[in-house]
Every structure is written in structure tokens, then in C-alpha cells.
Amino acid sequence: ASGAVRVVATINENGNVVSAKAVSGHALLRAAAEKAALRAKFASTVLNDQAVEVTRILTYNFADDRGRLTE
């Protein structure tokens, strides 16, 4: 399986992903994309001099590496 998986992620005031839900992409890749999102770390989003929780859409691209030469 390969292709893009879009994940809706909630990022807290400290830049940690506190929830992640795949909303599109190959069914076999969704769980891996959600796990990757939950491990991600972001800079805090600041609004009016205060860190806030935000929701973002993250896109993970999975490539099919069959046929590549390896050394």
C-alpha cells in the first residue's frame, strides 16, 4: 500500500499531539499515520501572548519502495 493519509490532529499548548484520527487514505496505512502523528512534536501556537490548543490536518505520504535497488 502507498499514498497519502490525512490525519486530523489536536495539538495542545505545549506542542504535543493529544489526539489523532485518520480521515482519508488507504485503510492499511491509517493506523501507522495516526501513530506517527501522536509521536510528533510542534512549536506552541500563540494567540494574544498565550499558548493555545489547535487542530491541524497533517498529511503523511507513504511510498512504495518496491523495485528500488539497495546496497
Side-chain angles (χ1 to χ4, degrees), residues 2-69:
S2 62
V5 178
R6 294 176 64 120
V7 176
V8 174
T10 302
I11 303 163
N12 71 10
E13 296 85 350
N14 298 317
N16 298 310
V17 177
V18 294
S19 70
K21 177 68 177 163
V23 294
S24 71
H26 196 291
L28 293 175
L29 301 173
R30 288 183 177 208
E34 290 172 350
K35 280 184 172 183
L38 288 168
R39 289 190 308 264
K41 177 76 174 169
F42 296 89
S44 297
T45 299
V46 177
L47 180 64
N48 296 326
D49 295 324
Q50 185 169 358
V52 295
E53 182 176 276
V54 294
T55 301
R56 302 219 185 264
I57 297 176
L58 309 175
T59 303
Y60 289 89
N61 292 302
F62 292 86
D64 181 353
D65 64 354
R66 287 180 291 175
R68 283 190 182 175
L69 295 176

